[in-house]
Amino acid sequence: MSIVQEAKTFTEGDGQRLGVLTWDLATAFLAHHIDASARLPPRTRRQLLLRRLDLFIEDNLADPQLSPPAIAAHHHISVRLLHQLFAGRKESVSETIRRRRLERCSADLLDPLLAALPVHAVGTRWGFTDAAAFSRTFRARYGVSPREHRRLATRQYG
């Protein structure tokens, strides 16, 4: 999936974060190409790494193997450092992955173009390998089952 393909699921906050991320990535790109990455302030380097981690998570939500160890390994950092980087946020790495997957599932369940896709396939599409666990996790987050979520939206907009 690309950012362009997923743009319809973004919130206003997602757009703002993407704007900041774009600026940071452009700064890092230029610093890298003029061989000045080491001159970036530690806070900027940390923010750039967090932005790279966020993008990696977004780009790999569908991968059922996406986990803190996989993310850390891909970025050549320790799992401990990964958790330290996320410590200043409201949610952990795992909570971020779960929330974003559930948001994608919710959007797909509400999408009339995906109405024929079975509920369990929506969960699988976004990295949930166990249909029962997907349903429990979805219900815990939204207060209704994925099937009921879809049905309520169909009644409301149909």
Side-chain angles (χ1 to χ4, degrees), residues 49 52-53 56-57 60 66-77:
L49 178 54
R52 285 194 353 245
L53 293 167
F56 182 80
I57 290 169
N60 291 279
L66 184 65
S67 65
I71 295 166
H74 181 82
H75 290 88
H76 310 288
I77 61 174

Side-chain angles (χ1 to χ4, degrees), residues 43-140:
R43 182 187 168 283
T44 301
R45 286 196 309 264
R46 182 179 186 275
Q47 288 301 316
L48 287 172
L49 178 54
L50 273 167
R51 303 266 189 246
R52 285 194 353 245
L53 293 167
D54 287 336
L55 274 180
F56 182 80
I57 290 169
E58 287 298 318
D59 289 345
N60 291 279
L61 285 172
D63 181 357
Q65 302 304 312
L66 184 65
S67 65
I71 295 166
H74 181 82
H75 290 88
H76 310 288
I77 61 174
S78 69
V79 175
R80 181 176 180 206
L81 176 57
L82 176 66
H83 287 298
Q84 286 174 345
L85 289 166
F86 273 76
R89 293 183 166 184
K90 294 178 184 176
E91 55 189 15
S92 70
V93 180
S94 296
E95 290 167 339
T96 298
I97 293 167
R98 186 178 317 109
R99 176 183 55 79
R100 289 302 293 140
R101 282 179 170 163
L102 288 170
E103 289 170 353
R104 294 292 179 90
C105 289
S106 174
D108 282 2
L109 290 167
L110 299 177
D111 187 340
L113 298 175
L114 299 175
L117 190 64
V119 169
H120 71 86
V122 170
T124 301
R125 175 181 164 119
W126 293 110
F128 291 99
T129 57
D130 180 295
F134 164 57
S135 186
R136 279 191 307 273
T137 305
F138 193 94
R139 181 183 295 276

Side-chain angles (χ1 to χ4, degrees), residues 27-37:
T27 302
F29 176 79
L30 290 172
H32 172 73
H33 282 287
I34 61 171
D35 211 16
S37 296

